Amino acid sequence: MGTMDLARSGQHARVRGGQERRDIVPPPQPFFKSLQTNLKETFFPDDPLRQFKGQPKSRKFVLGLQYFFPFLEWTPQYSLGFFKSDLIAGITIASLAIPQGISYAKLANLPPILGLYSSFVPPLIYAMMGSSRDLAVGTVAVASLLTGSMLSSAVSPTENPKLFVHLAFTATLIAGILEVTLGLLRLGFIVDFLSHATIVGFMGGAATVVCLQQLKGILGLNHFTQATDLISVMRSVFTQEHEWRWESALLGCCFLFFLLLTRYFSKKRPRFFWISAMAPLTSVILGSLLVYLTHAEKHGVQVIGYLKKGVNPPSFQDFVFFSPYFPVALKTGIVTGVIALAEGIAVGRSFAMFKNYNIDGNKEMIAFGMMNILGSCTSCYLTTGPFSRSAVNYNAGCKTAASNVVMSIAVMITLLFLTPLFHYTPLVVLSSIIVSAMLGLIDYQAAIHLYKIDKFDFLVCISAYLGVVFGSVEIGLVIAVALSILRVLLFVSRPRTFVLGNVPNSVCYRSVEQYPAAQTVPGILILEIGGPIYFTNASYLRERIIRWIDEEEERLKSSGEVGLHYVILDMSSVGCIDTSGISMLEEVKKITDRRDLKIVLANPGGEVMKKLDRSKFLESLGQEWVHLTVGEAVGACRYMLHNYKPTPDSSSVDRESWSNNV
């Protein structure tokens, strides 16, 4: 844009004064209406009530039922073809759910039968209330480890197993209540504080800890530390060398090799995914037959033992609300509930993206919460949507959540008729199943990717990993979340500011750092503020703006160029401003007034303009110094520089009369 074009632009901005310039401030809204709008945008961005608008009462009732029970939406269109796909998928994931359920219950220091109970009732609840077609519900390793380690810090699962189980049920109930509450109040954004980097590091650390814990089963040890950190586990292992059982170790290594081999084969040949899915149950069957035929339990190979027949007994009478151990159950329920939500929702969204449909995070929270509340009343412990089981469900070609029903029925049949067959299942096989599943959660490639893209995210990831491995699961989680929140606070408290210049042969103004060819405008300093202006960053921005002005004046003085007369603040990225931010602008204006400089605002948002108008800052600044774009602001300033040549002796009165001419 040439000088004459800029002059015309500035003259147009001046001629466009009067009423139109006063209309740059949005019309005021009543306080309660404004508050309602802000709350709706914060908690209901998806506007879940829009489907009810203009509908008759009978239709609203049906839509309400479908909202809380999504299965009512897809059952009318359910077909025989869907049933065939869901039947195959359900049987396939049941073959994985049964051994995994028993394994993860042992990981949580709970009776193995609770793992089967937890694979029966919760999937039925989720099939009715869940919005994902691919999520396969069940127990997960990380939540099981958390439950076992946190409760074990207060109650020994071997010395007082009954109380330990009751605490697990209570923690599950608390987790369910928390999840339902978050879903109903639409507070799902709380889970977003567990960033991708946090989850990668935390899951990797938890998987490492889980694998280390399985050394007890693989080596056939009877006594093992309740701590989860690397040092304690290694000390426990190497101080009991005399108790190592080579038979158990050999058996564990063989089955682990078999499981890893089938997984590798299924990855190379995706159409044979079912081989990897069937491998855990196959290992259980082969291990049980081997122990039964060779009487290996008499030679140091530990077995599951007796599992009673029958479906879930009620457990609502087992809650320990008035026990001195309740605070431990409360803490465990809150921590495991948040982790289960983060994992389940992340897994559900991942597979929904593959099939190009959406899931409602708040609905998922309600579904997870209800299945844990009802599960805690029927002898289940914490469940969510594990990745491994959901991946098998997805690859098996499931069409709807009915695959969970099929899996639940298969588990029910197992509970009613087949539990005696698990008597001779060696614990070392369960340990091998857990290790093979956990190795897939150590995503070192994701960590390398984080290092290449964002060093701070990599720091969060590694901190979470090291915190879990060398401290505890809770310590790792706290460190990771604290670092993530610290990063958010740093972004808010230290927003970037950039000097803008004109990109040659265009009307665009961009950062001179990003675009070295961009040219600064003589006599005008253009600064972009890269974020909202709050009390946390107001002082920083004031100092940064003044420093930019000082540096620009020194540069112009040393180069002998035209002195600085205007400071344009590009506020395109300033979505909001508070009273501290307005005070900061007032202070900057006073400083620039003393230096005979003029502040110009470019493209402030509607909310910002409302507050600047109410605070009388616009009246002090003058609405003629607020422009729609940086280009318009530059044009106006150039026009004034062209028509008025200020001198070092210009008085404030002359400057005021000059400003009033705009």
Side-chain angles (χ1 to χ4, degrees), residues 1-2 6 501-510 515 517-519 631:
M1 183 181 287
L6 288 169
N502 178 237
V503 178
N505 302 318
S506 75
V507 294
C508 298
Y509 289 81
R510 296 292 183 267
Y515 297 88
Q519 301 172 353

Side-chain angles (χ1 to χ4, degrees), residues 102-119:
I102 296 173
S103 304
Y104 294 159
K106 292 292 292 182
L107 180 61
N109 296 322
L110 295 169
I113 194 67
L114 296 188
L116 294 180
Y117 290 160
S118 301
S119 298

